Amino acid sequence: MAKPVVLLADGKVDSLDTHLEQFKLNNETNQNELQVLLKEYGQLLDDYKILRKAYQQKGTGVAVPLITNGVSSPTQEKPRNPYVLVLIDGNGYIFNDELVKEKEEGGMRAARMLNDAVEKHLRDSIPDLRSHRVVVRIYADLTTVSKNLAKSKLVGLEKRSLAAFTAGFTRAINLFDFVDALDEEGTKFKIREMFKLAADDSACTHILYAACHDNSYLSLMVPYSGMRDKITLVQGAGFSNEYHQFNLNVTQFPTVFRWSGLPSTVPSSKSSTAVPNTPTKKNTNNKSSLRNGETHDTTPGSNGYPMNGSNQLDDRSDIPWGTKPNTSKQTGSTPCKYFQKGFCRFGNGCKFQHVPKNLQPHIAALDGIDRSNISALLPTSVVPGFLPLNKDGHRLDVYMQPPTQDEWVVYNARFRRQKPCNNWHLQRSCTTFHCPYDHSDLEPEARRALEYVLKCSPCPNKGACRASDCFYGHLCQKDDCVGQAKGCRMKADLHNVDPKLASMVPAEDEMVHNGGYNDDFGYAQGPSDWY
């Protein structure tokens, strides 16, 4: 028997249809509300990221837009008068000698040079800050610095003899100050507080920090590690390598500050080592009568300078070069002209020096310069684009280690085939038509030996040379060198050069020689040929 079919009433069907439509409408509304909620959440995340970035850039003076309710507004007002602070500890960063010597004028010139150097650094490294003002604060113990400079004879002996220089520096530019902090602890206190103030100041867009010679400032720098957009270290004399751990940029101003520290003591007088008289067989035919009846030996070598048959110094390694004869009564520094002619009736009683004529220029030049370890006093490296100078403004050379025996062998073998062209291999330029010298590739060993050979030959401009590509030597850098009497190519005046680095100057980009001029040095058998 078939079951009866139950049909829904029309009202029931209409009710279900209405509920279904209502559910669909509610679902669409929920979807729309969900999309709006997701959009608002995304906007909130973007605002948070912008706010976090603004917080990280606090103090840089950069206004970062913050979008709130669709309206853009700055999170931080741009400072009205942004500035770059140059903070210097004057106890360790000393201005170059030529500036200090000029007192007021030197101080004013130092301020202008420092301002130019800072502006150039900003243009080259941080162009966004090139229009910002430059503020310089130098703190130092003026009494102690003046005392140290007086030992080097750069200032007078007054208690604060550097005051004239500092006054000129402060007066030169309105935002430059050189402040006497009374003592070393006062200097450190001022440096620390000024650094903290500038680091938290939004108007200070950058700090050039010149107090990296003292490790007591390391704790001050710890909270600012890695802030390369805010702090740059300035390298100077006694720069501590501990500051590299902070991962900050480093710059230098070698034309403004000394590149070496002040000497702790300065010798008050020149010293020389007396050489015992060497027993020699006297020639009785070369004796002349003295007033007191004594005899005076005029034989060469009788004054402690052993001579060989060619009237030159014997190769005596036990006699220090530049020493004076043992003459107890000879107190003058002027050579005796009668002794040079072969006779002086006053003998050891003569008030003039009895120095062999061929030895005079060397003794005069080497007097007062200790050449026993001169290579250790020369600079080992310099800032690219700059040339090292000593306190007299004489150009120095970076110490060059003599070639090894293997390098000499390679060089000599190459030299025997054909002489290398100096200008081509060391300056990459030769303008000589049909140059007779070799331009083919040079072995590294031969090139290094060639560089050393040329460094042992004097530059025509000597210490006044400022050419960046000069390959000649500007002083003799060999330890215990006895000068030309031993075969050295450097003249006597280039043996009397203070090897200590005092300052640097920008190198001049110009060629030393025009054409393919080559010195005919000949080939060397080994290191002994150039010592």
Side-chain angles (χ1 to χ4, degrees):
M1 179 176 177
K3 291 182 179 181
V5 178
V6 180
L7 300 177
L8 295 176
D10 293 339
K12 187 69 172 179
V13 174
D14 293 338
S15 177
L16 291 175
D17 184 62
T18 301
H19 285 169
L20 180 61
E21 291 295 332
Q22 186 65 35
F23 179 79
K24 291 172 62 178
L25 291 175
N26 292 339
N27 189 43
E28 291 179 358
T29 301
N30 292 336
Q31 289 294 331
N32 293 335
E33 290 179 355
L34 179 60
Q35 294 300 324
V36 173
L37 181 61
L38 291 174
K39 184 176 180 181
E40 291 178 353
Y41 177 73
Q43 184 65 52
L44 181 62
L45 286 179
D46 292 340
D47 291 347
Y48 169 74
K49 292 178 181 178
I50 295 174
L51 182 61
R52 184 180 63 179
K53 183 178 180 181
Y55 177 77
Q56 292 175 347
Q57 294 183 351
K58 179 182 177 181
T60 62
V62 179
V64 181
L66 174 61
I67 302 175
T68 306
N69 296 328
V71 180
S72 176
S73 61
T75 62
Q76 183 179 3
E77 293 184 1
K78 186 176 181 179
R80 294 181 179 180
N81 297 310
Y83 66 92
V84 174
L85 175 65
V86 183
L87 188 58
I88 303 171
D89 186 331
N91 295 329
Y93 286 69
I94 309 297
F95 286 89
N96 284 331
D97 296 353
E98 62 271 16
L99 299 174
V100 175
K101 290 179 181 178
E102 296 179 7
K103 299 182 179 180
E104 296 94 342
E105 291 296 329
M108 298 178 69
R109 191 156 67 93
R112 292 190 291 268
M113 290 176 62
L114 179 58
N115 185 67
D116 293 341
V118 172
E119 289 183 347
K120 182 179 183 301
H121 170 73
L122 295 179
R123 288 195 305 269
D124 297 342
S125 302
I126 320 176
D128 293 339
L129 308 182
R130 62 182 181 274
S131 61
H132 294 189
R133 299 177 302 164
V134 177
V135 178
V136 176
R137 295 290 182 267
I138 304 179
Y139 301 100
D141 176 7
L142 210 58
T143 301
T144 302
V145 175
S146 299
K147 181 179 179 180
N148 293 334
L149 290 172
K151 291 179 180 180
S152 298
K153 300 182 180 179
L154 298 175
V155 296
L157 300 178
E158 299 83 6
K159 186 175 182 180
R160 288 180 172 84
S161 53
L162 192 62
F165 175 87
T166 62
F169 182 92
T170 303
R171 183 182 179 184
I173 301 178
N174 56 350
L175 295 177
F176 283 36
D177 290 323
F178 199 128
V179 181
D180 183 7
L182 191 60
D183 55 22
E184 185 176 355
E185 288 303 319
T187 301
K188 294 180 179 180
F189 172 76
K190 299 292 286 186
I191 291 289
R192 290 191 182 98
E193 295 305 315
M194 192 65 189
F195 180 84
K196 293 177 182 178
L197 177 64
D200 296 333
D201 186 4
S202 61
C204 179
T205 55
H206 205 79
I207 301 175
L208 290 170
Y209 184 74
C212 304
H213 66 291
D214 193 341
N215 287 339
S216 63
Y217 292 119
L218 289 172
S219 59
L220 176 67
M221 305 296 296
V222 171
Y224 307 96
S225 179
M227 295 182 61
R228 302 168 69 92
D229 57 341
K230 180 72 174 183
I231 303 171
T232 296
L233 305 179
V234 178
Q235 190 174 7
F239 182 85
S240 175
N241 291 329
E242 295 291 333
Y243 285 87
H244 287 301
Q245 65 180 303
F246 300 119
N247 193 28
L248 298 173
N249 293 322
V250 180
T251 187
Q252 311 93 6
F253 301 135
T255 59
V256 181
F257 297 109
R258 288 175 59 99
W259 204 248
S260 61
L262 291 172
S264 57
T265 56
V266 176
S268 58
S269 60
K270 297 179 179 180
S271 61
S272 58
T273 305
V275 179
N277 288 334
T278 304
T280 56
K281 182 179 180 180
K282 297 183 179 181
N283 186 355
T284 55
N285 296 328
N286 291 328
K287 294 182 179 181
S288 57
S289 300
L290 304 180
R291 291 180 181 179
N292 55 7
E294 296 178 354
T295 58
H296 172 39
D297 186 8
T298 60
T299 304
S302 61
N303 282 275
Y305 293 100
M307 300 292 174
N308 57 23
S310 60
N311 200 29
Q312 298 291 329
L313 272 176
D314 282 342
D315 186 8
R316 289 284 305 278
S317 58
D318 57 334
I319 300 179
W321 182 253
T323 54
K324 296 180 180 179
N326 184 15
T327 52
S328 58
K329 296 183 181 180
Q330 295 176 2
T331 59
S333 59
T334 304
C336 176
K337 63 181 180 180
Y338 296 103
F339 177 79
Q340 307 306 325
K341 297 178 180 179
F343 58 90
C344 177
R345 58 181 179 174
F346 297 106
N348 290 340
C350 180
K351 63 179 182 179
F352 300 107
Q353 287 288 340
H354 286 184
V355 180
K357 187 174 182 179
N358 68 298
L359 205 58
Q360 283 183 19
H362 304 290
I363 291 181
L366 296 176
D367 189 20
I369 299 295
D370 182 12
R371 298 196 55 85
S372 61
N373 195 24
I374 194 170
S375 60
L377 302 177
L378 289 171
T380 56
S381 63
V382 294
V383 179
F386 290 86
L387 301 177
L389 303 180
N390 63 7
K391 61 181 178 59
D392 302 317
H394 188 106
R395 176 174 176 175
L396 303 177
D397 295 320
V398 175
Y399 175 67
M400 187 174 185
Q401 191 75 19
T404 63
Q405 189 64 41
D406 293 338
E407 290 173 335
W408 282 120
V409 171
V410 175
Y411 171 77
N412 290 332
R414 182 61 179 268
F415 198 91
R416 290 189 186 97
R417 294 200 304 267
Q418 187 178 6
K419 298 178 183 178
C421 177
N422 299 337
N423 289 347
W424 175 255
H425 290 292
L426 301 183
Q427 295 178 337
R428 304 310 299 174
S429 176
C430 178
T431 58
T432 302
F433 185 69
H434 288 313
C435 178
Y437 302 106
D438 187 10
H439 286 199
S440 59
D441 292 340
L442 206 61
E443 300 86 352
E445 298 84 357
R447 177 186 174 85
R448 189 177 182 284
L450 177 63
E451 291 176 349
Y452 180 79
V453 168
L454 294 174
K455 280 297 179 186
C456 294
S457 301
C459 173
N461 295 326
K462 299 182 179 179
C465 175
R466 297 293 183 266
S468 60
D469 54 359
C470 180
F471 45 67
Y472 288 113
H474 304 90
L475 79 163
C476 178
Q477 53 178 277
K478 303 171 187 173
D479 295 336
D480 293 321
C481 181
V482 299
Q484 291 181 313
K486 185 74 175 184
C488 179
R489 293 181 178 270
M490 296 290 186
K491 294 185 179 180
D493 56 342
L494 296 184
H495 287 78
N496 191 33
V497 178
D498 187 351
K500 295 181 180 179
L501 175 64
S503 62
M504 295 190 187
V505 295
E508 298 177 3
D509 295 330
E510 61 179 13
M511 302 297 288
V512 178
H513 297 289
N514 294 324
Y517 171 78
N518 254 43
D519 289 322
D520 188 8
F521 294 122
Y523 67 90
Q525 297 293 338
S528 60
D529 290 278
W530 298 100
Y531 269 91

